[in-house]
Amino acid sequence: ELYDAALTIAREGGYRPFEGYLLLMTSDELRDEGRIEAALARCEQALVVLHDVRNARHEGAALSLRGDLLAQLRRFDEARASLQAGEAILRKVGDQHALVRLLCVRGHAEAAAGSSGAAREALAAAEALAGQSGVLPESEPGRALTALREALA
């Protein structure tokens, strides 16, 4: 696989920031393939590297992905903790689009946990932030908002 080859090169070359990014991307790909446990393991590796290299933006995104994966595994308390940590980081670095996506992940996680009120609060927060930051409907955070709206309808 292409990611694995790139990951090997990054590790052998000692380029840790790229290694962390690749670990995050492969975790996302594994999730999309439905390999949730493998995705979580790869995401945990990404978090260690991204934290070590002080890549806060991608660390926040990784915590969001981790929260999504944990929620899919029905480990809701851990998912909430991961999303809370990711939210704090993304607010600090000012990545509003990633924060909109995280809030949508939170909405889906809360809905899966049976907390419809918290899911709707997450949707409202995501919509408000999307409006403030000019999120376009066809963008990734815009599509995440649409999916959450449909899920909660």
Side-chain angles (χ1 to χ4, degrees), residues 17-139:
F18 190 55
E19 176 187 353
Y21 175 77
L22 286 170
L23 287 165
L24 178 58
M25 293 298 98
T26 56
S27 177
D28 194 41
E29 185 176 289
L30 289 165
R31 177 198 55 191
D32 292 346
E33 293 172 359
R35 298 172 56 196
I36 305 305
E37 292 283 355
L40 182 58
R42 187 62 59 103
C43 189
E44 297 289 357
Q45 293 172 348
L47 279 165
V48 170
V49 174
L50 293 167
H51 182 78
D52 287 350
V53 300
R54 295 183 174 89
N55 185 334
R57 182 175 165 267
H58 283 118
E59 183 181 359
L63 286 162
S64 178
L65 176 59
R66 181 177 182 268
D68 180 33
L69 296 166
L70 289 165
Q72 289 186 49
L73 294 170
R74 307 200 59 77
R75 294 164 53 184
F76 297 116
D77 289 340
E78 292 172 84
R80 288 179 180 113
S82 188
L83 293 167
Q84 184 177 16
E87 180 178 355
I89 289 171
L90 293 173
R91 286 192 187 282
K92 184 175 180 180
V93 300
D95 190 338
Q96 294 182 329
H97 285 199
L99 186 54
V100 169
R101 290 190 308 269
L102 180 143
L103 291 168
C104 290
V105 168
R106 174 177 289 143
H108 286 289
E110 293 294 356
S115 301
S116 62
R120 294 203 180 283
E121 287 176 18
L123 174 60
E127 287 176 326
L129 184 58
Q132 294 168 4
S133 59
V135 167
L136 299 173
E138 64 274 8
S139 68

